[in-house]
Amino acid sequence: MKNYADLWIGYNKRQQGGDCNRLKKIYINGSSGSDRITENAVHELKNGLKSMLDIDPEMVYGQIGAPIAATCGKEILDSEEYCISLLDDGVSIDAKSGSGVLYAVFDILRNVSCERDINEVYASGKTVRPSNPLRMLNHWDNMDGSIERGYSGESFFYIDNEIVIDDRTKDYARLIASIGINAVVINNVNVKQAASYMITDRYFDKLAELGEIFAGYGIKLFLSLNYASTIEIGGLDSADPLDEKVIAWWKDKMAEVFKKIPTLGGFLVKADSEGRPGPFTYGRTQADGANMLADIVKDYGGIIIWRCFVYNCKQDWRDRKTDRARAGYDNFMPMDGDYHDNVILQIKNGPMDFQIREPVSPLLGGLKKTNQMLEVQIAQEYTGHQIDVCFLIPEFKEILGFKTYCSEKDDTVGDIINGKTLGSRYSGIAAVTNTGNDFNWTGNYLAGANLFGFGRLSFDTELSSEQIAEEFVRMTISQDIDVVKTIVGILLPSREIYERYTSPLGIGWMVQPATHYGCSVDGYEYDRWGTYHRADHLGIGVDRTDKGTGYALLYNEPNASIYNSPEKCPDELVLFFHHLPYTHKLHSGKTVIQHIYDTHFEGYEEAKGLAAKWDTLKGKVDDEIFENVRERFDRQLVNAREWCDQVNSYFFRKSGIPDEKGREIY
Ligand code: GCV
């Protein structure tokens, strides 16, 4: 018995969504079928069609350009692109490489799994090129098996400082390749202890093996790198990026690493952040550090993904001038244009840290000459620990659609990270992932929708949240239309509901320090982390306008003027940018304090509503799934009630202003 769920690659029996005869013969053009990715793809296709429809397809291999596929009518240009078209006697896949074939296969399997009629879906030929060059998962797994910010068990990559390779490893590769992921960082960005030795003999063999498994599914292996390796494992006394000894050490090291792990894509680096070492120690810039490594790995086709999460984490809460929100911009903008070609800056979606609502980081659209990659978090660190249901895809859609005004056209975050704005091939999107060795991979079964959704969205940013949610339910839970509607109805509003019962109007935080689950309004108020709400008896919010920290002005116009003005600023972010009296009237017509009361009472009630919806599914979905989610809802309601009552009581006590509706506040 496997000790993990199949999720969306289970391929249980399906009804035919229309005439499936064509699936009995599959033409593959562009691959002889003998490369490893195509072999894996064909195996997947045969296995999937057999289990779902009892079809055993005949495979016909042709070369690229073979005049078989008439319907696509386009040349396949990109190695990950594919075209699926219908022939009289079969289905044809055109691609340029095994990766294209693989994604085409998963496209077909997904449509069959959702019981769609393939004759309709592929009627006029479907050509697909992934939206983003890099579609990446970042694991924060430690080598002792723990996971930083992990909410679904331990790591399935490591036990006791050893790398584990078993059936689950391969199924993981299948699972994430099927949703379009093509790169994985397998270790925590905080590289400490054993993980520092990943680039030594101790782990080369296993990493090479892992890299090969991934490569068979079109996935590049990446590692997080300890910036101070020269000191920690190299025996030098410096990590200065301009020091010749340091450079020479890295040259030898990288030659060895890429020889031993030939499939390696490169490295992710967290430097000068939260106690991690970096170039600042030596009076150098972030560009100095990133470029030094990038120049060395370039010879091996490697890239350096350098995180922009650099800020002062030892701030004095009394200091109102220093603004953590500014830090990324202030540390990275001055070197725009200096980062070498194979450096990508990885930028968290907001300027703080994955709060339930933040403005988009001003680096996205600020940087005009630098490769950029967006970092989001599907590990629900601040969004409910995979206890509370919080479907994050609607948030990611908002972020990708945000107009930065960085250029006349192609100026959304989506355009920047897909490489359109800068014409770069080094760009993309990464998610801090939410998986662990729990049976269902993600703790709360419904949190699987974030993993599925992130992959699907990274591959095709045009998909709607609703489409993604529906596919997730059909592929993993049920085809029953009422069940599908009910679960989609739980997922879609869940992020806004979570927002309503937690911290209001974009101010963020108010969480229990350290764990980041549960309410503690002042938990971070007098701390060193730069995360304050500044509430007193008159008002709340951080003044980030031209009269305050000036953060609002870091945006391109008209965003800067909009955020700088309390009248123009969107309600949902108004306390992020402004310190306002409780009596300030929002666009909604409500005062700030009444908004706080209303959203918290409503959010708690709505959470109860989600749980009640789930209860209607008893007996209609798999018992294990039902009980898993039911138990999480019990905990979510306790959490929502605490948030509601603590936030409302806190602000009632601070402001002395009663709730217009006279509800119970403590
Ligand atoms: C991996 C936040 C988290 C840390 C995380 C850090 C980061 O501070 O709480 O656990 O470290 O972000 O993104 O580097």
Side-chain angles (χ1 to χ4, degrees), residues 201-353:
D201 252 343
R202 198 189 285 183
Y203 296 113
F204 283 149
D205 290 348
K206 286 280 185 183
L207 289 173
E209 192 183 337
L210 187 58
E212 287 295 332
I213 293 172
F214 281 179
Y217 288 91
I219 300 164
K220 278 253 181 229
L221 172 71
F222 282 77
L223 298 175
S224 292
L225 195 65
N226 184 336
Y227 182 79
S229 296
T230 44
I231 302 172
E232 289 192 28
I233 63 171
L236 302 185
D237 58 3
S238 170
D240 180 349
L242 303 189
D243 180 328
E244 288 303 328
K245 289 192 301 300
V246 169
I247 298 171
W249 187 88
W250 276 118
K251 279 190 175 155
D252 288 348
K253 182 44 81 185
M254 290 304 180
E256 185 190 7
V257 169
F258 280 92
K259 184 159 174 241
K260 295 287 174 65
I261 321 170
T263 55
L264 192 68
F267 298 93
L268 174 65
V269 187
K270 171 175 179 176
D272 286 311
S273 172
E274 301 187 327
R276 303 312 299 148
F280 281 168
T281 313
Y282 306 96
R284 313 298 186 192
T285 66
Q286 297 297 301
D288 291 332
N291 290 341
M292 181 272 288
L293 290 169
D295 291 350
I296 297 171
V297 302
K298 192 171 187 170
D299 288 348
Y300 313 99
I303 58 175
I304 295 294
I305 304 176
W306 193 269
R307 294 178 87 227
C308 294
F309 189 57
V310 177
Y311 69 99
N312 172 9
C313 67
K314 293 190 178 151
Q315 202 182 315
D316 182 347
W317 57 268
R318 299 165 190 83
D319 164 14
R320 284 173 185 257
K321 294 240 159 47
T322 309
D323 181 3
R324 170 166 165 181
R326 290 192 61 112
Y329 192 96
D330 290 343
N331 285 317
F332 286 88
M333 263 308 279
M335 286 92 65
D336 188 19
D338 294 348
Y339 305 92
H340 293 175
D341 275 357
N342 59 332
V343 173
I344 310 181
L345 294 189
Q346 183 163 302
I347 304 164
K348 286 192 184 188
N349 62 268
M352 299 297 274
D353 194 11

Side-chain angles (χ1 to χ4, degrees), residues 110-132:
R110 183 168 51 251
N111 283 310
V112 170
S113 179
C114 291
E115 297 189 348
R116 294 179 185 136
D117 181 355
I118 58 137
N119 303 295
E120 262 174 42
V121 177
Y122 302 122
S124 44
K126 182 179 177 195
T127 306
V128 179
R129 182 191 283 196
S131 306
N132 294 292

Side-chain angles (χ1 to χ4, degrees), residues 69-214:
T71 34
C72 286
K74 264 194 212 160
E75 200 188 337
I76 304 287
L77 297 171
D78 187 87
S79 66
E80 294 186 312
E81 192 173 340
Y82 62 88
C83 171
I84 301 171
S85 50
L86 301 178
L87 305 175
D88 289 345
D89 65 342
V91 173
S92 162
I93 294 174
D94 283 59
K96 218 178 162 172
S97 78
S99 293
V101 175
L102 184 76
Y103 295 135
V105 159
F106 283 122
D107 192 312
I108 294 171
L109 290 173
R110 183 168 51 251
N111 283 310
V112 170
S113 179
C114 291
E115 297 189 348
R116 294 179 185 136
D117 181 355
I118 58 137
N119 303 295
E120 262 174 42
V121 177
Y122 302 122
S124 44
K126 182 179 177 195
T127 306
V128 179
R129 182 191 283 196
S131 306
N132 294 292
L134 272 169
R135 308 175 299 278
M136 190 177 229
L137 291 172
N138 290 179
H139 284 261
W140 285 357
D141 296 29
N142 300 314
M143 295 204 78
D144 63 3
S146 63
I147 301 179
E148 184 155 347
R149 311 305 176 188
Y151 312 107
S152 43
E154 301 261 288
S155 172
F156 47 77
F157 282 128
Y158 315 103
I159 295 179
D160 291 340
N161 297 322
E162 291 302 333
I163 296 173
V164 178
I165 297 181
D166 57 16
D167 288 348
R168 192 166 189 156
T169 321
K170 185 169 168 205
D171 285 338
Y172 177 65
R174 292 173 53 226
L175 192 69
I176 61 173
S178 77
I179 50 175
I181 298 298
N182 67 357
V184 178
V185 183
I186 58 162
N187 62 313
N188 190 356
V189 286
N190 292 323
V191 188
K192 296 176 195 164
Q193 286 118 15
S196 300
Y197 291 85
M198 280 229 178
I199 52 169
T200 70
D201 252 343
R202 198 189 285 183
Y203 296 113
F204 283 149
D205 290 348
K206 286 280 185 183
L207 289 173
E209 192 183 337
L210 187 58
E212 287 295 332
I213 293 172
F214 281 179

